[in-house]
Amino acid sequence: MSLLFTPTQLGTLKLNNRIVIAPMCQYSAQDGIVSDWHLMHLGSLALSGAGLLIIEATAVEPDGRISPADVGLWSDETEAALCKVLQAVRRYSNMPLAIQLAHAGRKASSQVPWEGGQLLQAQNGGWSTWSASAIPHGATETPPLALDQAGIARVKRAFVDAAVRAHRLGIDSIELHAAHGYLMHQFLSPLSNQREDAYGGSLENRMRLPLEIVDAVKAALPADYPVGVRISASDWVEGGWDLAQSIVLAQALEQRGCAFIHVSSGGLSPRQQIPLEPGYQVHFAAAIKAAVSHLPVIAVGLITEPEHAEQILQDQQADLIAIARGILYDPHWPWHAAAKLGGTVEAPPQYWRSQPRDQKALFGETRIGSR
């Protein structure tokens, strides 16, 4: 039997299979408010047959947006707009939904990718950014402002407020974004964090803010509500954040009752040297899985073939497989994976007649009639 299509759980959240749709920024919001694009995008992915759909990086405050077109969840207006989208998606799909709550830190105030993705100056719609230290992401960029104690308190409150809004919306789980060079990652890495207070220096100090955010968010939600964290397991830069430190962080997250850890890498430094190949990050997930007792580990990174995803699970390198670009290219990737691996997926009855003649069990028990 295919492991990819066996049920699993993230805390109390039950999933029909082990395929996770990773969060993917769409840069299609206005003032943090989701648009009709998000309805079409999320609606399509929610019909894909995956086990879990994670909504894109959602800023907890306006300054935390990667770009001016990022989704936000910091106000009644942003919450109400997302509510409408979720209600429409829920009407036709019972796929569990999570949301990634994020703050971009010094990587905020950027152009959208198809306009270059570079730092926006104030005269072009940009804003001052925040980080652990006043060290720019790129050597020629305007340095961010180092968060003081009041700023740190503000950011923690913003994460808590957004988490409460997400729970109120009926979202099934929260993923806190501590990867890809964004704010929490900036506190973790010695390349971007050169503070001399309780939030800098030692590994314990550099982990302090991310762990305080985890604690604060979990304290504001029901005890059994699943909260997970996405990390970059390595900066891919000598002297930066690395696997050994990631293992310590993962063990701290497990002790705090996190529901999962989503293992990615990179994004903090333009000096990164990443050897891109299928599954190039899986060894990070495997090492972390071996170092924790029961914390579910999600692997991600150029996993495009169903057989590869299945082998990762069979080899016990991870517990779940996240797909991102691959499912944008093939929105029914889980269907096709199930057909190859002998699995079963949920599909809306409107699509049942698309089941191939040689795959009569692909959509489970179905019945089509006509006269």
Side-chain angles (χ1 to χ4, degrees):
M1 184 177 181
S2 167
L3 277 179
L4 191 62
F5 290 95
T6 56
T8 190
Q9 289 190 207
L10 298 177
T12 57
L13 180 60
K14 297 179 180 179
L15 309 182
N16 289 335
N17 60 57
R18 296 165 186 260
I19 302 171
V20 175
I21 300 176
M24 293 172 282
C25 292
Q26 296 299 293
Y27 307 103
S28 299
Q30 183 172 2
D31 297 325
I33 294 172
V34 292
S35 66
D36 289 345
W37 172 260
H38 296 93
L39 174 58
M40 296 190 298
H41 169 67
L42 295 174
S44 171
L45 295 179
L47 302 179
S48 69
L52 176 68
L53 167 57
I54 306 179
I55 298 168
E56 67 190 83
T58 300
V60 298
E61 65 175 10
D63 284 358
R65 292 172 295 168
I66 302 167
S67 80
D70 277 29
V71 174
L73 190 56
W74 62 68
S75 66
D76 292 346
E77 291 77 15
T78 55
E79 182 181 344
L82 186 55
C83 181
K84 289 181 180 179
V85 168
L86 295 177
Q87 286 176 342
V89 171
R90 293 281 195 201
R91 194 170 299 127
Y92 298 105
S93 172
N94 61 3
M95 181 183 293
L97 301 175
I99 190 168
Q100 185 184 70
L101 298 182
H103 193 298
R106 70 181 187 179
K107 289 182 73 176
S109 187
S110 301
Q111 299 167 320
V112 298
W114 48 87
E115 293 178 1
Q118 299 306 300
L119 180 67
L120 276 172
Q121 300 301 323
Q123 62 269 26
N124 296 318
W127 57 89
S128 296
T129 64
W130 303 90
S131 188
S133 301
I135 303 170
H137 176 72
T140 63
E141 293 180 352
T142 304
L145 303 171
L147 283 167
D148 58 15
Q149 293 298 320
I152 287 173
R154 185 195 78 234
V155 167
K156 287 193 289 187
R157 285 194 303 270
F159 271 98
V160 169
D161 180 63
V164 170
R165 292 180 185 277
H167 178 258
R168 188 160 59 216
L169 286 168
I171 292 171
D172 300 295
S173 178
I174 288 170
E175 175 176 279
L176 299 173
H177 199 357
H180 300 163
Y182 298 125
L183 184 64
M184 280 196 271
H185 186 181
Q186 290 161 29
F187 270 81
L188 291 171
S189 176
L191 299 179
S192 48
N193 183 346
Q194 297 182 8
R195 300 174 70 99
E196 297 180 353
D197 62 2
Y199 291 93
S202 68
L203 175 58
E204 179 184 7
N205 283 357
R206 285 183 280 114
M207 293 196 308
R208 191 179 305 279
L209 179 60
L211 292 179
E212 285 183 349
I213 289 173
V214 169
D215 289 343
V217 166
K218 286 184 64 62
L221 300 172
D224 62 349
Y225 185 84
V227 175
V229 178
R230 193 174 200 186
I231 70 165
S232 280
S234 173
D235 289 339
W236 297 98
V237 178
E238 185 176 354
W241 183 257
D242 59 18
L243 178 59
Q245 296 172 91
S246 294
I247 287 173
V248 176
L249 176 61
Q251 292 169 338
L253 294 173
E254 182 174 46
Q255 292 170 0
R256 283 163 167 76
C258 279
F260 62 89
I261 186 167
H262 190 169
V263 183
S264 188
S265 70
L268 184 107
S269 171
R271 296 187 288 126
Q272 65 188 18
Q273 297 292 320
I274 303 178
L276 290 177
E277 60 183 5
Y280 69 100
Q281 298 173 153
V282 172
H283 69 287
F284 293 135
I288 289 172
K289 180 172 169 57
V292 296
S293 300
H294 53 267
L295 179 66
V297 175
I298 304 174
V300 67
L302 290 183
I303 304 168
T304 60
E305 299 302 322
E307 296 86 352
H308 186 198
E310 178 69 19
Q311 194 61 53
I312 292 167
L313 298 178
Q314 294 285 353
D315 292 343
Q316 299 184 40
Q317 294 179 291
D319 301 290
L320 301 98
I321 304 296
I323 308 293
R325 295 178 180 93
I327 207 164
L328 292 185
Y329 185 74
D330 178 4
H332 288 145
W333 191 94
W335 294 14
H336 302 144
K340 283 188 175 183
L341 300 175
T344 298
V345 290
E346 287 193 6
Q350 295 92 331
Y351 288 176
W352 282 355
R353 292 204 297 178
S354 71
Q355 185 171 252
R357 291 186 178 183
D358 63 345
Q359 297 287 338
K360 294 301 184 183
L362 182 62
F363 298 155
E365 294 186 11
T366 61
R367 184 177 1 179
I368 296 293
S370 63
R371 60 183 290 257

